[in-house]
């Protein structure tokens, strides 16, 4: 047997082996899912031309319609997925509405208000986005930052509130845009990785409607705010304040730790 034929059979053997391993792996996953009452369902094929080059960030279910989901990409475009079909026109496009002088770098998180599906309730049709942008010194929104003179804070992680303009969630009312807070960060790798409301909190609980915000950190920034933190706030507007801090937050009496911090030292959350 010459060397060419040998390598031909060897290559085919390796290829067949890989295929068999893949098949057995899929069968194992399916069996595990069946034994644990899981079922894998395709939600949508995200391949239309408007978003081919996009980096999808998060998919959230629409509590008003079990056949719908919202998905947002890094460029700031939010789409409605209806019965497995992604609508071609975004319901929100931050890349268009953002001011050029404060360039949008990336959108990193989205979260629906717990009353999103409840008409005539505060928070109906309301959701929140988090994005990173170049520092906006003219912004009047409250900015959380470390007070160290050693840091150059060139970026803002921004949380914004939005509301839909119709009950079918086809379009966001841009006039409802309201910035909740800004977190000044030292570089563009430090972002808000996730936002969430507690799924176990009910409307009659004291902690209902509190928003948890995960800001990832790095070892090189030795400050509490940039150590990898969870912040906890009430994002509802209160008088002239765009948000309030719960009285139960643990570091209210610590001068060196921001009142909004609920947990710190998580590093790269």
């Amino acid at each position: 047997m010459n060397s060419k034929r040998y390598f031909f059979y060897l290559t085919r053997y390796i290829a067949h082996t890989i295929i068999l391993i893949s098949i057995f792996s899929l069968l194992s996953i399916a069996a595990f899912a069946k034994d644990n009452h899981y079922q894998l369902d395709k939600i949508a094929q995200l391949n239309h031309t408007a978003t081919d080059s996009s980096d999808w960030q998060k998919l959230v279910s629409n509590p008003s319609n079990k056949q719908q989901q919202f998905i947002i990409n890094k460029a700031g475009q939010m789409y409605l997925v209806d019965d497995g079909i992604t609508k071609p026109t975004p319901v929100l496009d931050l890349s268009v509405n953002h001011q050029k002088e404060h360039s949008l770098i990336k959108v990193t998180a989205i979260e629906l208000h717990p009353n999103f599906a409840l008409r005539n309730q505060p928070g109906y049709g309301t959701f929140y986005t988090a994005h990173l942008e170049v520092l906006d010194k003219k912004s009047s929104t409250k900015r959380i930052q470390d007070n160290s003179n050693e840091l150059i804070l060139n970026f803002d992680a921004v949380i914004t509130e939005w509301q839909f303009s119709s009950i079918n969630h086809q379009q966001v009312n841009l006039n409802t845009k309201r910035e909740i807070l800004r977190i000044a960060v030292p570089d563009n790798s430090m972002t808000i990785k996730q936002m969430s409301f507690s799924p176990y909190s009910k409307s009659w609980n004291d902690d209902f409607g509190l928003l948890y915000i995960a800001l990832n950190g790095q070892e090189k920034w030795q400050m509490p705010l940039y150590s990898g933190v969870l912040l906890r706030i009430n994002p509802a507007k209160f008088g002239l304040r765009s948000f309030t801090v719960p009285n139960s937050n643990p570091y209210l009496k610590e001068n060196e730790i921001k009142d909004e911090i609920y947990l710190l030292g998580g590093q790269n959350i």
Side-chain angles (χ1 to χ4, degrees), residues 217-223 226-227 267-268:
Q218 297 176 2
E219 292 183 1
K220 63 179 178 179
W221 309 114
Q222 299 299 314
M223 295 89 176
Y226 307 128
S227 66
Q267 297 185 13
N268 187 21

Side-chain angles (χ1 to χ4, degrees), residues 68-192:
Q68 293 182 345
Q69 297 83 27
F70 300 108
I71 190 167
I72 199 163
N73 61 31
K74 187 170 67 174
Q77 297 165 321
M78 178 178 172
Y79 289 86
L80 174 67
V81 180
D82 191 358
D83 198 17
I85 299 175
T86 307
K87 300 295 184 180
T89 303
V91 296
L92 176 66
D93 193 344
L94 274 69
S95 63
V96 172
N97 298 299
H98 211 70
Q99 299 179 14
K100 294 182 179 179
E101 60 267 28
H102 307 301
S103 56
L104 174 75
I105 296 177
K106 54 187 170 184
V107 174
T108 56
I110 179 176
E111 179 65 3
L112 308 183
H113 192 279
N115 281 345
F116 184 88
L118 300 178
R119 297 187 188 183
N120 302 320
Q121 293 294 322
Y124 173 67
T126 300
F127 67 97
Y128 301 85
T129 60
H131 72 268
L132 188 72
E133 68 174 50
V134 176
L135 173 66
D136 179 5
K137 295 182 179 180
K138 297 180 181 179
S139 173
S140 59
T141 304
K142 180 177 179 179
R143 177 178 285 107
I144 304 172
Q145 66 181 64
D146 189 273
N147 297 324
S148 174
N149 295 325
E150 301 176 0
L151 289 179
I152 300 176
L153 302 171
N154 289 327
F155 304 92
D156 277 347
V158 186
I159 296 178
T160 307
E161 180 185 88
W162 308 85
Q163 289 182 339
F164 279 93
S165 56
S166 61
I167 61 174
N168 58 2
H169 305 116
Q170 296 292 323
Q171 197 66 41
V172 174
N173 183 354
L174 299 180
N175 293 326
T176 63
K177 176 184 177 181
R178 184 175 72 89
E179 284 193 4
I180 305 297
L181 67 82
R182 288 174 172 260
I183 306 173
V185 295
D187 64 40
N188 60 8
S189 67
M190 191 171 293
T191 60
I192 294 172

Side-chain angles (χ1 to χ4, degrees), residues 13-24:
Y13 170 77
I14 293 174
H16 288 172
T17 302
I18 292 173
I19 291 172
L20 286 172
I21 292 174
S22 301
I23 291 172
F24 284 126

